[in-house]
Amino acid sequence: MKTRLSRCCAPLLALAASACMTAPKAPVPAAPPAATGPFAALPVASIAPVPDDWWRLYADPQLDELVARGLAANADLRVAYANLDGARAALRQAKAARLPTTTIESALTLDNPSKQPSAASVSASDWDIAATASWDIDLFGRLRSGALAAQADAEAQQAALDAVKVTVVADMVQAYVDLCSANQSKREAEAIVAAQDRSLALVREQLSAGEVSPLEVSQAAALAASSRAAVAPYEAQRANALYRIATLQGRPPAEARGYSFACAKPPRLAAPAPVGDGTALLLRRPDIREAERKLAAAAARVGVARAALYPRVNLGGALGLLAGGFDAVASPLVSWAFPNQGPARAKLAQSRASEQAALAGWDVVVLKALREVETALAGYDAEVRRNALLTDAVVQAQAYSRRSAARVRQGDASGLLQVDAERTLANARLAKAQSDLAVAAAEVALFRALGGGWRTGLEPG
C-alpha cells in the first residue's frame, strides 16, 4: 500500500515543488521626479517632517483630549475596524486554502434496511469510518496568487482605516477651531452692538437738544438693529461646532448642550508648519498607500486568472475501515478547461485591464495629493499675509480710538467721534477674528492634505 501511494503521488509532488516559480510580481508605480521634490518655498512652511500627532503642535490640552476621545469612540472608525477584521479573515481563509483539508466520515449500513438501528441489529450491520484528505496542489500559483491578493486587500483596508483616522482628527480639530472662533467672533460682534447702541443713545440725546433730525436717529437705529442681527449666526456656528464634536466622539448631538469649553480664540501654530517633501508625502498619505496596495491586489489576481489556463490537480485520499476492511486509497483529480479556453482568457484580459486601471488610479491619487498640498500651502500663505495686514488695521484702529477719546475729553470733538472710533475698532477686530478662523482652517486643511502620520504595518492575521 505504501509503495502504491508513493508511486501515485511522486509526480504530483515534483510538480508542486516548482509552483513557487509562477508567483506574479506586482508592478512598482513610479512617481514623476518633480513629485518627489520639495513643495513651494513659503515662509509659512518648513521642510521638517510632519509629526504623527500634528495636533499637539497647538499645545492645547483641551484639544488633545478631544482628539483622543474621537480616536477612541468614533463610529466611522468602528466601521473601518470591522472592515479590516473582515479583510484579515479573508486573508486567513486564502492562506488556509493552500493547506490540505481533512475530514472524518462515518456511516452505518444495515443488513435489513427496513429495520431501524438498535442494540439488537448493530451486530448484523457494517460500520465504516475513514479519515479523508484533499489537497489542491498549487502547480501554477493560483492559490498563492489568491493569498497575495488577500494580503494586499488587507493592507489596503489598513490604509483605509488610517485615512479615516486622518479625517476624524482633522474634523475634530476643525470643529474645535470653529467653536473657538465662534466664541471670539460673537464677543467682537457684541462689542459692535454696544458701540452702535451708544451711538444711538447719543443721537437721541442730540435729537432732544434739537441738534439733529429724526432722520439721523432712524439711521443710527437701523445700524444698531443690523449689528444685533449679526450676533445670532455666531451662536449657530458655536452650536454646530459642539454638535460635530459630540458626533465625532460617537455621542448624540443633544449631549453637546452640556459641554463647556473655555477657548477664547482659535489655536494657532507658534512656528512654520512642518510639511516635509513630496517623497515623504507619497509614503505618508493613506490614500496613496491604499491605491498602491489595490494595485498589488489587482496584479495578484492576474496570476489567479492566468493559472486558470493550466490544469488544476487535486489529490484526494482516504484511510480507515472501508467496506469492512482496513484500507487506504489515493486518487488524483485533474481538471482542465481545454481546448475551449475562451472564458479563461477573457477573465485574464479582465484582470489585466483591472491592473491597468489600478495603476492609473494610483497616478490619479498621487496627482490629487500633490495638488491638495500645494493648494493648501498657497491658501495658507495668502491668508497669513492677509491676517498680518488686518492685525495692522487693528493697531491703527486702536490709535484712532485713543486719539478720538482724547479729543472728546479736551472738548475738541463730539462724543459721536469717539463712538465711531470704537465701532471702527470693533469692526477691525471682528475682521481679524474671521481671518484668524481662516488661518486656523487653512492649517487644518494643510495637515489634512499632508495625510497625518499613520503608517501602521499590517498585524499578523
Side-chain angles (χ1 to χ4, degrees):
M1 179 180 66
K2 181 177 180 180
T3 302
R4 182 173 62 184
L5 285 173
S6 301
R7 192 166 52 246
C8 174
C9 299
L12 298 176
L13 294 175
L15 286 172
S18 65
C20 61
M21 299 174 60
T22 64
K25 292 184 178 180
V28 180
T36 59
F39 298 114
L42 297 172
V44 294
S46 72
I47 61 173
V50 181
D52 289 359
D53 48 355
W54 58 265
W55 61 92
R56 297 187 185 278
L57 295 174
Y58 293 108
D60 189 329
Q62 190 168 240
L63 176 60
D64 297 342
E65 183 180 357
L66 287 176
V67 171
R69 290 179 183 175
L71 291 175
N74 182 263
D76 290 331
L77 278 176
R78 295 204 304 271
V79 173
Y81 277 117
N83 290 337
L84 178 59
D85 288 341
R88 288 174 171 172
L91 173 59
R92 291 194 297 271
Q93 180 182 13
K95 289 181 177 180
R98 302 183 63 191
L99 303 175
T101 58
T102 58
T103 58
I104 297 178
E105 301 175 350
S106 65
L108 172 63
T109 304
L110 301 176
D111 291 341
N112 187 352
S114 63
K115 294 183 179 180
Q116 297 295 325
S118 63
S121 62
V122 169
S123 59
S125 305
D126 293 330
W127 282 94
D128 293 338
I129 184 169
T132 62
S134 176
W135 184 22
D136 199 343
I137 303 178
D138 196 19
L139 296 179
F140 301 100
R142 180 180 63 87
L143 296 178
R144 185 177 186 185
S145 295
L148 289 174
Q151 175 83 20
D153 285 340
E155 292 168 347
Q157 195 59 56
Q158 177 68 68
L161 169 62
D162 293 343
V164 176
K165 290 181 180 179
V166 171
T167 300
V168 169
V169 170
D171 287 348
M172 182 66 80
V173 176
Q174 183 62 59
Y176 183 74
V177 164
D178 290 344
L179 172 66
C180 299
S181 174
N183 292 337
Q184 181 184 21
S185 298
K186 181 174 180 289
R187 185 174 62 253
E188 301 299 346
E190 288 172 342
I192 294 175
V193 171
Q196 292 289 76
D197 287 341
R198 286 193 297 272
S199 175
L200 177 59
L202 285 174
V203 172
R204 283 174 175 166
E205 290 177 3
Q206 289 178 326
L207 176 64
S208 300
E211 297 175 358
V212 298
S213 69
L215 176 63
E216 284 77 5
V217 176
S218 297
Q219 182 183 22
L223 290 173
S226 298
S227 300
R228 284 191 293 272
V231 175
Y234 298 118
E235 295 174 346
Q237 178 182 329
R238 184 179 189 279
N240 178 280
L242 287 173
Y243 295 150
R244 283 153 53 203
I245 288 174
T247 54
L248 285 169
Q249 296 178 86
R251 308 303 303 171
E255 291 191 8
R257 301 189 188 103
Y259 291 171
S260 177
F261 295 101
C263 58
K265 60 181 180 179
R268 289 284 300 274
L269 295 178
V275 298
D277 55 19
T279 300
L281 177 71
L282 299 183
L283 295 174
R284 185 176 57 249
R285 283 252 317 204
D287 56 344
I288 296 178
R289 289 186 280 117
E290 181 181 5
E292 190 275 329
R293 289 292 80 201
K294 286 182 176 179
L295 173 59
R301 290 188 172 91
V302 171
V304 175
R306 187 175 63 239
L309 297 174
Y310 304 101
R312 179 176 175 179
V313 180
N314 181 279
L315 178 62
L319 177 67
L321 294 173
L322 303 173
F326 185 80
D327 199 1
V329 295
S331 57
L333 174 64
V334 179
S335 59
W336 189 15
F338 186 84
N340 180 18
Q341 291 192 315
R345 293 189 180 278
K347 183 67 174 178
L348 177 59
Q350 293 176 15
S351 298
R352 284 174 174 165
S354 297
E355 180 185 23
Q356 291 302 310
L359 179 59
W362 185 86
D363 292 336
V364 169
V365 172
V366 168
L367 292 176
K368 176 185 175 184
L370 294 170
R371 183 200 70 206
E372 288 178 351
V373 172
E374 295 286 8
T375 301
L377 275 171
Y380 181 37
D381 176 68
E383 191 58 43
V384 167
R385 287 187 281 112
R386 175 175 177 266
N387 189 267
L389 294 174
L390 289 173
T391 300
D392 184 62
V394 170
V395 172
Q396 297 301 324
Q398 289 172 338
Y400 172 38
S401 179
R402 288 194 306 270
R403 290 166 183 164
S404 63
R407 294 280 298 274
V408 171
R409 285 194 304 269
Q410 294 171 4
D412 293 339
S414 168
L416 285 175
L417 178 63
Q418 182 177 355
V419 171
D420 180 72
E422 292 174 353
R423 182 172 61 246
T424 300
L425 176 58
N427 280 317
R429 284 176 172 169
L430 178 59
K432 172 66 165 51
Q434 293 171 341
S435 178
D436 289 343
L437 168 61
V439 170
E443 289 173 350
V444 176
L446 176 60
F447 283 118
R448 185 195 295 266
L450 291 170
W454 285 277
R455 281 175 286 182
T456 309
L458 183 67
E459 298 175 5

